[in-house]
């Protein structure tokens, strides 16, 4: 349960950072993303112009397709998205222990997402960890690789920045402050 609360808090932080930095940061241009890649409109792969109207299910499919194609399998012990946020957030955790080269699989996953219409933005690297921001339409994805050393964790957390989702994230953060 503690992990689920952390996930909701992390999503809120990702969302708030996205809201604060998307107009002036180096990750501008999410809504002007073009589509491409192998996903088709029928697969929910985000063929909408610029990713507008992209659903959580389509985002999950894109992440899963890119990650599994790069050699990852999903970690079955990863926490689900907190109740009530399923349409606004996607969390996909890779089992980095099972990947032959987690760093390469991470890089290949980010590359595949780029071919599927996700625009790369800010990149943060420190101490062997990397967090890459990607955007498509109203969605922002934080791809994080912490596979150096003993801890091997690779996560993809996407949040939708629509006003409806903003309200849901704020309500969830407030609820968790009280618990």
């Amino acid at each position: 349960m503690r992990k689920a609360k952390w996930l909701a808090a992390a999503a809120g932080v990702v969302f708030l950072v996205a809201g604060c930095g998307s107009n002036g940061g180096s990750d501008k241009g999410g809504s002007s993303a073009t589509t491409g890649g192998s996903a088709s409109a029928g697969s929910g792969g985000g063929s909408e112009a610029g990713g507008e109207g992209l659903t959580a299910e389509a985002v999950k499919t894109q992440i899963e397709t890119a990650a599994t194609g790069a050699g990852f399998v999903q970690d079955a012990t990863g926490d689900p998205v907190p109740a009530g946020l399923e349409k606004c957030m996607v969390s996909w955790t890779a089992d980095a222990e099972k990947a032959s080269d987690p760093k390469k699989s991470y890089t290949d996953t980010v590359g595949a997402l780029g071919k599927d219409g996700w625009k790369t933005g800010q990149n943060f690297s420190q101490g062997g960890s990397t967090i890459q921001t990607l955007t498509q339409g109203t969605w922002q994805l934080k791809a994080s690789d912490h596979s150096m050393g003993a801890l091997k964790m690779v996560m993809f957390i996407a949040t939708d920045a629509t006003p409806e989702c903003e309200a849901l994230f704020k309500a969830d953060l407030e609820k968790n402050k009280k618990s």
Side-chain angles (χ1 to χ4, degrees):
M1 185 63 166
R2 180 185 300 175
K3 210 170 170 186
K5 286 184 179 181
W6 175 85
L7 184 62
V13 169
V14 167
F15 180 75
L16 291 174
V17 170
C20 294
S22 64
N23 290 331
S26 65
D27 62 342
K28 292 193 295 187
S31 62
S32 64
T34 59
T35 59
S38 60
S40 67
S43 70
S47 296
E48 299 87 355
E52 297 301 324
L54 196 59
T55 65
E57 190 58 40
V59 170
K60 180 180 178 190
T61 298
Q62 288 180 338
I63 293 169
E64 189 165 58
T65 300
T68 57
F72 283 128
V73 294
Q74 188 168 15
D75 185 348
T77 64
D79 281 330
V81 171
L85 298 178
E86 297 90 348
K87 291 184 179 183
C88 299
M89 180 179 169
V90 172
S91 176
W92 200 93
T93 303
D95 189 338
E97 297 284 338
K98 291 182 180 176
S100 61
D101 184 349
K103 193 65 103 174
K104 180 179 181 329
S105 291
Y106 170 81
T107 301
D108 290 350
T109 301
V110 171
L113 289 166
K115 290 177 184 174
D116 204 19
W118 290 86
K119 295 290 185 184
T120 56
Q122 294 176 332
N123 185 32
F124 174 78
S125 294
Q126 183 176 359
S129 292
T130 300
I131 300 172
Q132 176 69 57
T133 301
L134 299 107
T135 56
Q136 187 176 106
T138 59
W139 285 85
Q140 183 177 70
L141 170 63
K142 295 289 185 179
S144 59
D145 172 25
H146 313 283
S147 61
M148 298 296 289
L151 175 67
K152 304 227 182 293
M153 182 169 40
V154 177
M155 293 180 65
F156 302 91
I157 299 176
T159 55
D160 192 354
T162 61
E164 175 187 356
C165 287
E166 178 181 333
L168 290 172
F169 283 121
K170 286 180 181 179
D172 188 69
L173 286 172
E174 288 300 315
K175 178 178 76 174
N176 286 323
K177 279 184 189 178
K178 295 176 185 176
S179 359

